[in-house]
Amino acid sequence: MKFLTTSALALMMATGAMAAESCATGKTLTDGTLTIATGNPAFFPWVLDDAPEAGKGYEAAVAYAIAGKMGFDSDAVTWTRTSFDQSIQPGAKDFDFNLQQFSITAEREEMVDFSDPYYTSAMAVLTTKSVVENGAEPTIASLKDLVWGAHATTTALPMLNELIQPNTAPLLYGDNVDVTAAMQAGQIDAALFDLPTALYLSAVVLNDGVILGQFPAENTPSPDHFGLLMAEGSALKPCVDEAIAALKADGTLAAIEAEWLQETTGVPVIK
Amino acid sequence: MPSMTRRQAYEARQRRRATLIAAGSTAAVLIALIVLIPLTPGWEAVKHSFFNARVFEKTFPGLLNAFVMDVAIFAWCAPLIAILGLLLAVARDIRNPALYPLKLFSIVYTDVFRGLPVILVIYLIGFGIPGLGLPRPWNSPYIWGSLSLILVYAAYVAEILRSGIESIHTSQRAAALSLGLSSSDTMRFVILPQAIRRVVPANMNMFIALQKDVALLSFIGPVEIFRQAGVYKSLMANFTPYVGAALIFLAITVPATRFADHLMNKQAKARS
Amino acid sequence: MDRLELRNVQKSFGQTQILKGIDLTIEPGQMICLIGASGSGKSTLLRCMNLLEPIDDGAILLDGADISEPDLDPQPIRQRIGMVFQSYNLFPHMTAKENAMLAPRRTKGLSRANLDAPVSELFHRFGLGDRMDHYPDQLSGGQQQRVAIIRALAMKPEIMLFDEITSALDPELVGEVLDVLRALREEGMTMVLATHEMGFARELADKVCFLDQGRICEEGSAAEVLDAPQQERTKAFLSRVL
């Protein structure tokens, strides 16, 4: 929380003198307020207890950090909730930016704007103990033979086809909970998630959940970059990118990651 | 036309006038829509998101491909629904007290399954029963999802058939019984063939609804057209694939609906 | 051939008593006409004789055996007693011939091939040889009613019941149906008719029964009942219909 206090302090000192020159001035939905959207509900470890206002959880913390860099004090941040579909529907957006692990893809870029990435995730294979006992191994050859599931509206599906190319066509679901339900029902063997989500699901949601292995971002041809989603042609994009660049440069982003995202080096790398 | 009577000439004039008025007002509404909608401030954005030619072109073949799955699920569900619906309808008509449990079962069954949203049944059966620990392939979402559709739709079809059975005049039953036919033969050879014919249009509407509800199976895994459209939507952040899916559905359901209406009109005429 | 005996037959629908104790004996080969106003109980009586309606009290004896026993399976009895209805009640989804073959096929286990000759013979005998493969809605009322009679005859019944079978017909079609009855009479078929055709009754009936309010008010030969009625009610009824 220290960075919040410091940035808030810096901001308070700056407000009077620099308000007129802030990059974001006059570009937000409501003057003097930054409206940030996230998922409904928002999940651990991205947002803790579905309460982004508390600034706890990786994305909640990142959101406040970016807001701070853009010249918005934490009191000047308001939260709203959208589904994926709401975030891409045409018409005026009711948020300045939206963060809920949106993967940046060239095709999506044609419809909406993304900030520079604030996180690049490894992809992880979530499965159950019984599948491992039946001989599943963290090798591509072994993974090909599993029956796969994925959350339909994520980039997990193209990733699956790119990284594993399973022998059976994957089954797709509307949300993470349904994916785990299908796994519990034995209808699928494994599912692909970004690593932090996979860690959460295996630890909390799934009985006998196991992370079989991961595909580190650096080994992936088109890794899963998370970006803030904004309206196509948003004037705010340069300010957001600038803030993210600054957070990267001063190590804040890395610090937030260390604070909220689990250590992932223990997860075997898939060969 | 010298052979036209005064009355015919008058009716022909009236018809022509009605056609002109109908064509005129339809044209006026269409023009208003075509001119006015693009003038709305959000039109460009909506067009980009919903009627995007590039996205359409790219996704339509995949959607068609996924629709094969819908047709397949429909194809194996429909006959099973017809059979189960028939059994339920006949059970409902049972008069033999020894078989009363069957009748009671039919009544409770139709009440329960007509009272539940299809999607709820799909979730409960599609995830619930395989969760009991069935081995593959018996835990397949295709099996249990299809079963959910069959259970729900059979309840509706049974009710439609029952209304058909009840619409057959009691004199038909009396005539059959008076000949010495048993009550089961009376049902099988006299009542049911007439009842089934009578409810064909209503059942066709039911099966059109089924073709659409097949999409609900996507909630438990199968990648049919609705889910495929959702995947495209997500990957391209664009709703055009849904429009493509809608067009494919319409291409099947509109002709089917028209055909059902045609049958219904024909029956109404035959009966009057 | 067996005799049919009705003893004190009673029948109510809800609070309304339709038959208030009917005694009637039908001897083999007899033709009996039931006359009376609508609602007098003629139809109900016929339906009771065919066991389509269970009776409340009294008894119906066929060849001395009580067929009104509530536990009795009515199916074999109905196979021996044919019935023809006012509204024909042909099965509209079957051809005339299929209508006639259904019951013998199902109840006597006869095949279509076995039945073809005798059923075709019936159609030819009653002037419908060229209508066997028509559906009911392709036939006139008179033709439909003749098919209905053929359908009942195809079961080779011992007794035939006719429930106002000419009442729904246009007047010019009544004759062709009555001709069929005449032919059956000549063959010695035992018949009970509910009818309004007084001329026909006078011509052929062995016995005429006048029903009034659920009772047989007067019975006797056609000459007795129709030409010299003793009861005031009979007289009043006949003066209205003749």
Side-chain angles (χ1 to χ4, degrees):
Chain A
M1 291 308 276
K2 201 166 70 185
F3 68 92
L4 269 186
T5 355
T6 39
S7 48
L9 263 174
L11 223 143
M12 268 151 67
M13 295 191 298
T15 342
M18 285 167 51
E21 300 139 52
S22 162
C23 173
T25 306
K27 295 175 184 168
T28 55
L29 231 45
T30 317
D31 271 345
T33 305
L34 187 66
T35 310
I36 306 177
T38 188
N40 190 16
F43 286 104
F44 184 94
W46 311 108
V47 171
L48 263 53
D49 303 325
D50 192 23
E53 303 79 11
K56 292 185 177 174
Y58 179 77
E59 283 185 345
V62 166
Y64 278 107
I66 292 173
K69 284 283 186 217
M70 286 168 69
F72 296 91
D73 162 355
S74 53
D75 291 341
V77 170
T78 59
W79 288 88
T80 181
R81 306 296 186 118
T82 73
S83 65
F84 176 82
D85 288 9
Q86 284 170 316
S87 70
I88 61 167
Q89 80 183 33
K93 310 272 187 229
D94 58 0
F95 50 81
D96 289 313
F97 63 73
N98 192 331
L99 78 171
Q100 40 181 307
Q101 309 106 62
F102 287 121
S103 303
I104 304 169
T105 72
E107 280 172 320
R108 287 177 175 176
E109 289 266 29
E110 302 208 5
M111 302 304 298
V112 288
D113 272 0
F114 287 105
S115 69
D116 291 338
Y118 57 85
Y119 181 70
T120 299
S121 174
M123 296 304 283
V125 175
L126 178 67
T127 184
T128 57
K129 257 184 207 147
S130 59
V131 174
V132 177
E133 282 159 10
N134 285 336
E137 288 168 11
T139 62
I140 298 286
S142 167
L143 295 181
K144 269 184 192 298
D145 290 333
L146 300 181
V147 178
W148 286 84
H151 183 331
T153 61
T154 66
T155 50
L157 179 66
M159 287 285 200
L160 245 176
N161 291 329
E162 181 183 294
L163 297 171
I164 301 168
Q165 292 169 331
N167 295 327
T168 331
L171 294 169
L172 301 180
Y173 303 87
D175 59 41
N176 294 346
V177 181
D178 285 357
V179 179
T180 53
M183 203 175 291
Q184 218 92 74
Q187 293 169 329
I188 56 174
D189 295 319
L192 201 63
F193 289 102
D194 60 71
L195 184 51
T197 299
L199 284 167
Y200 164 70
L201 291 174
S202 85
V204 180
V205 179
L206 207 57
N207 298 331
D208 300 333
V210 174
I211 307 278
L212 190 58
Q214 62 167 319
F215 296 95
E218 54 275 21
N219 300 358
T220 311
S222 45
D224 204 13
H225 296 299
F226 293 171
L228 307 183
L229 183 149
M230 286 161 284
E232 171 75 3
S234 169
L236 216 52
K237 179 171 157 57
C239 318
V240 172
D241 285 345
E242 196 181 305
I244 291 173
L247 290 173
K248 276 180 184 162
D250 66 10
T252 312
L253 215 46
I256 297 174
E257 186 178 330
E259 181 171 7
W260 297 111
L261 297 183
Q262 214 173 319
E263 189 59 52
T264 56
T265 46
V267 178
V269 171
I270 291 165
K271 298 182 191 80
Chain B
M1 259 183 244
S3 60
M4 210 183 253
T5 63
R6 272 179 69 198
R7 182 74 207 171
Q8 284 169 333
Y10 169 75
E11 279 175 358
R13 269 202 312 279
Q14 288 295 93
R15 260 200 307 278
R16 228 173 300 140
R17 212 174 131 236
T19 314
L20 275 177
I21 294 175
S25 61
T26 309
V29 170
L30 277 180
I31 289 170
L33 288 177
I34 291 167
V35 171
L36 291 180
I37 289 181
L39 291 180
T40 54
W43 169 241
E44 273 311 314
V46 169
K47 200 172 97 178
H48 198 49
S49 281
F50 283 88
F51 307 101
N52 191 318
R54 187 185 56 80
V55 174
F56 186 85
E57 223 166 277
K58 205 164 166 187
T59 58
F60 195 74
L63 292 175
L64 265 184
N65 213 14
F67 191 63
V68 174
M69 171 75 75
D70 293 75
V71 174
I73 293 171
F74 175 85
W76 69 61
C77 286
L80 294 171
I81 287 168
I83 293 167
L84 181 58
L86 188 64
L87 292 177
L88 287 165
V90 171
R92 187 92 188 233
D93 198 63
I94 285 171
R95 285 143 200 237
N96 183 340
L99 299 176
Y100 183 76
L102 269 180
K103 179 174 182 153
L104 184 69
F105 170 79
S106 169
I107 293 171
V108 172
Y109 178 97
T110 43
D111 280 357
V112 168
F113 282 100
R114 284 194 310 157
L116 287 173
V118 188
I119 184 62
L120 213 75
V121 179
I122 289 177
Y123 262 113
L124 290 179
I125 294 181
F127 280 150
I129 293 182
L132 299 176
L134 289 171
R136 262 182 221 150
W138 302 110
N139 65 358
S140 154
Y142 294 98
I143 294 178
W144 297 102
S146 299
L147 182 73
S148 315
L149 286 177
I150 291 166
L151 291 175
V152 172
Y153 271 83
Y156 284 100
V157 167
E159 281 301 291
I160 291 173
L161 278 173
R162 188 169 73 100
S163 74
I165 289 170
E166 283 172 2
S167 79
I168 304 300
H169 200 267
T170 50
S171 64
Q172 286 284 315
R173 194 188 288 267
L177 293 176
S178 80
L179 288 166
L181 286 171
S182 66
S183 42
S184 62
D185 274 355
T186 298
M187 176 56 82
R188 183 172 150 202
F189 292 100
V190 177
I191 308 293
L192 271 186
Q194 297 184 59
I196 289 172
R197 256 166 253 218
R198 203 169 279 189
V199 296
V200 161
N203 271 328
M204 273 205 66
N205 284 329
M206 219 56 241
F207 283 107
I208 291 165
L210 170 67
Q211 179 66 79
K212 294 182 288 178
D213 274 358
V214 164
L216 294 175
L217 247 61
S218 66
F219 282 79
I220 56 166
V223 185
E224 51 63 67
I225 187 168
F226 176 69
R227 175 61 80 208
Q228 187 61 55
V231 168
Y232 286 139
K233 167 209 70 185
S234 151
L235 294 184
M236 305 186 184
N238 192 298
F239 292 102
T240 307
Y242 282 143
V243 176
L247 289 177
I248 292 171
F249 272 113
L250 287 176
I252 297 290
T253 51
V254 169
T257 315
R258 305 269 32 130
F259 183 62
D261 285 355
H262 165 74
L263 286 182
M264 204 147 1
N265 285 336
K266 215 167 96 181
Q267 276 196 356
K269 260 186 213 149
R271 233 178 283 174
S272 64
Chain C
M1 290 299 172
D2 301 314
R3 77 204 302 231
L4 188 65
E5 249 184 289
L6 279 64
R7 288 186 192 159
N8 188 30
V9 167
Q10 299 186 31
K11 174 73 186 172
S12 299
F13 289 110
Q15 298 297 317
T16 323
Q17 198 176 11
I18 304 294
L19 301 178
K20 298 175 181 166
I22 301 280
D23 290 291
L24 180 65
T25 302
I26 300 125
E27 299 291 347
Q30 266 192 338
M31 171 167 157
I32 291 179
C33 283
L34 307 174
I35 62 169
S38 56
S40 59
K42 306 188 298 285
S43 280
T44 306
L45 185 59
L46 290 177
R47 294 172 71 88
C48 288
M49 289 159 83
N50 188 254
L51 308 186
L52 280 177
E53 300 290 351
I55 62 171
D56 299 336
D57 215 341
I60 302 174
L61 309 177
L62 181 62
D63 193 21
D66 188 354
I67 58 168
S68 56
E69 200 48 56
D71 282 346
L72 203 74
D73 177 10
Q75 222 186 307
I77 308 298
R78 289 182 189 140
Q79 291 169 20
R80 295 167 63 187
I81 305 176
M83 181 152 182
V84 184
F85 301 83
Q86 178 178 345
S87 50
Y88 336 136
N89 300 353
L90 292 180
F91 308 136
H93 58 296
M94 295 180 189
T95 63
K97 200 172 176 182
E98 288 290 333
N99 261 278
M101 295 202 296
L102 176 65
R105 270 176 48 219
R106 297 303 301 173
T107 60
K108 299 183 174 171
L110 298 170
S111 69
R112 282 191 174 86
N114 287 337
L115 285 164
D116 191 73
V119 168
S120 297
E121 199 271 322
L122 280 172
F123 276 94
H124 282 289
R125 181 158 27 126
F126 297 115
L128 290 171
D130 56 345
R131 292 286 184 274
M132 289 190 288
D133 296 321
H134 286 54
Y135 283 89
D137 62 2
Q138 298 169 316
L139 300 173
S140 73
Q143 291 170 336
Q144 288 191 56
Q145 195 57 293
R146 281 187 282 158
V147 173
I149 296 170
I150 292 169
R151 181 175 67 179
L153 289 174
M155 285 297 288
K156 298 199 174 22
E158 297 157 31
I159 299 171
M160 285 283 284
L161 311 175
F162 297 93
D163 187 4
E164 299 196 24
I165 63 167
T166 56
S167 300
L169 295 175
D170 291 335
E172 74 272 19
L173 301 177
V174 170
E176 62 187 67
V177 174
L178 293 183
D179 284 344
V180 172
L181 296 183
R182 244 175 230 117
L184 290 177
R185 174 88 179 105
E186 272 162 31
E187 290 169 18
M189 172 64 79
T190 312
M191 297 195 280
V192 183
L193 279 77
T195 187
H196 290 300
E197 299 289 333
M198 297 305 160
F200 183 77
R202 182 180 287 121
E203 177 193 335
L204 293 175
D206 294 302
K207 181 153 77 175
V208 173
C209 301
F210 170 63
L211 263 75
D212 186 65
Q213 296 177 2
R215 290 195 173 85
I216 293 180
C217 178
E218 185 161 0
E219 62 178 300
S221 69
E224 286 166 358
V225 177
L226 297 178
D227 298 332
Q230 302 300 306
Q231 303 288 330
E232 285 311 314
R233 288 173 182 280
T234 318
K235 287 177 192 166
F237 171 73
L238 289 171
S239 71
R240 281 202 305 276
V241 299
L242 287 177

